[in-house]
Amino acid sequence: MKEQIESIRREIEQWLGQAGADPALKREGLFAYKMEHLGKTGKISALSKGMRDVAPEERPEVGKLLSDLRRWAEENFDSLEQELKKRELEKKYSSERLDVTMPARFAGTGSIHPVTLVKNELIDIFSGMGFDVFEGPEIERDYYNFQALNIPADHPARDMQDTFFVTKEFLLRSQTSSGQIRVMENRKPPIKVLSPGRVYRSDSDATHSPMFHQMEGLVVDKNVTLNDLKGMLDEFARRMFSSETKTRLRPSYFPFTEPSVEVDLSCSACGGKGCRICKGTGWIEVLGAGMVNRRVLENCGIDPDEYTGFAFGIGLERIAMIKYGIGDIRLLFEGDVRFLKQFGNGGRV
Ligand code: DAH
């Protein structure tokens, strides 16, 4: 019995010396070995069972040897387990170590879309002249988009703005001019308001998109004249393009204005001499405008004998294309980062 105890001790000692020094040893390995000895059916437990065969006078001595062996084994296994835990943690820490002094990988930032740049700039220019901003709904009633703007059902002017109908009564607005009606229904003059937003038309080619953006302007007050409109547009042209830019009004037709005008700007690419961009004319058409039709004022409960007004509608993509020399409107909606990052802050911080 004494020899058996001694040989188990040596065996464990040897194992601790070898396996304990092996860096590949895992806690599971240690546990399995420990169970081989201290488990219920383990070697040391088997020796305990053999105690009943030991002669009574030797029992105290052998019993002590056996319990010493058990305690000694437990202590050694425990301390090796602590050691293994420490090794595992060290390994984990060193593999997860962060070098906080390393330069960061730059994730890139977005840039402001050219249409948003133009919108913000327009709001900036016109709010400096006392305008505030009203945004109407994109799904609009036929009444606001057409009828109240003096375009009754079946009027031929509807053809120019064929759009997407949600129901017979509701449509995707084809113009921000609907905002004029919503503002005039709720406010009394003096009115000076901008109404920017998305509009929709059944139209698609290099210069037309089924969804695009407009900015409506509306001024209603006593004694407002076409001259005031011209003065305001001159200021807009100079601020948006250059101090040299001139405006030109040509007669046109819109059901909601009388008289109506088409507004051209002198070509900023060639200074008005004529080039590819202005198709040799020296002028570029940028917006529609006019004096608000008496009938439109009446539709909103404003007395046309007391008040007059002017309105204008600017296509934001068109301004962006002229300002930044963009040839195809579709580039603005494809979301190609190589194109978009050329504008605004260009993706830099
Ligand atoms: N809504 C017109 C369009 O989309 C543009 C326009 C013309 C707006 C004349 C106006 C205006 O306010 O007075 O073609």
Side-chain angles (χ1 to χ4, degrees), residues 149 160-161 174-178 180 199 201 212 214-218 254 256-257 260-262 287-292 310-314:
L149 287 160
M160 289 193 294
Q161 298 194 11
S174 63
Q175 49 184 349
T176 45
S177 303
S178 49
Q180 288 186 27
V199 297
R201 289 190 197 171
F212 61 105
Q214 287 187 332
M215 173 97 71
E216 193 77 10
L218 172 72
F254 299 102
F256 35 92
T257 42
S260 303
V261 292
E262 211 79 63
L287 58 98
M291 299 304 293
V292 181
F310 64 75
F312 54 88
I314 307 177

Side-chain angles (χ1 to χ4, degrees), residues 143 148 180-189 191 220 292-307:
Y143 175 78
Q180 288 186 27
I181 307 297
R182 289 189 172 270
V183 168
M184 286 193 283
E185 266 187 353
N186 288 308
R187 296 194 205 168
K188 293 293 132 223
I191 292 169
V220 183
V292 181
N293 192 305
R294 295 176 61 88
R295 287 206 198 161
V296 174
L297 293 174
E298 273 167 6
N299 287 341
C300 302
I302 294 175
D303 181 357
D305 292 321
E306 194 180 352
Y307 293 102

Side-chain angles (χ1 to χ4, degrees), residues 58 82 120 133 146 151 165 185 188 201 219 243 298:
E58 284 186 29
Q82 294 309 318
N120 291 348
V133 174
F146 290 129
I151 313 174
F165 280 78
E185 266 187 353
K188 293 293 132 223
R201 289 190 197 171
V219 173
S243 54
E298 273 167 6

Side-chain angles (χ1 to χ4, degrees), residues 143-183:
Y143 175 78
Y144 290 102
N145 195 80
F146 290 129
Q147 293 166 43
L149 287 160
N150 202 27
I151 313 174
D154 304 321
H155 191 284
R158 288 195 177 212
D159 279 356
M160 289 193 294
Q161 298 194 11
D162 189 16
T163 182
F164 305 90
F165 280 78
V166 179
T167 65
K168 215 168 168 323
E169 197 192 340
F170 286 95
L171 46 83
L172 299 187
R173 69 178 171 197
S174 63
Q175 49 184 349
T176 45
S177 303
S178 49
Q180 288 186 27
I181 307 297
R182 289 189 172 270
V183 168

Side-chain angles (χ1 to χ4, degrees), residues 103-116:
R105 215 174 292 154
F106 182 54
T109 57
S111 58
I112 299 175
H113 193 279
V115 171
T116 308

Side-chain angles (χ1 to χ4, degrees), residues 121-122 125-126 129 131 225-250 261-266 268 283-284 286-287 289 310 312 314 319:
E121 202 170 337
L122 280 171
I125 293 170
F126 284 103
M129 299 186 222
F131 283 73
T225 70
L226 199 61
N227 230 357
D228 297 321
L229 169 67
K230 169 94 164 100
M232 209 164 259
L233 292 174
D234 283 344
E235 175 66 7
F236 145 73
R238 285 191 293 262
R239 297 269 308 271
M240 193 62 160
F241 293 96
S242 83
S243 54
E244 311 293 306
T245 309
K246 296 186 173 47
T247 61
R248 177 175 85 170
L249 307 189
R250 282 180 294 109
V261 292
E262 211 79 63
V263 181
D264 299 337
L265 300 186
S266 58
S268 48
W283 295 94
I284 299 180
V286 290
L287 58 98
F310 64 75
F312 54 88
I314 307 177
I319 300 288

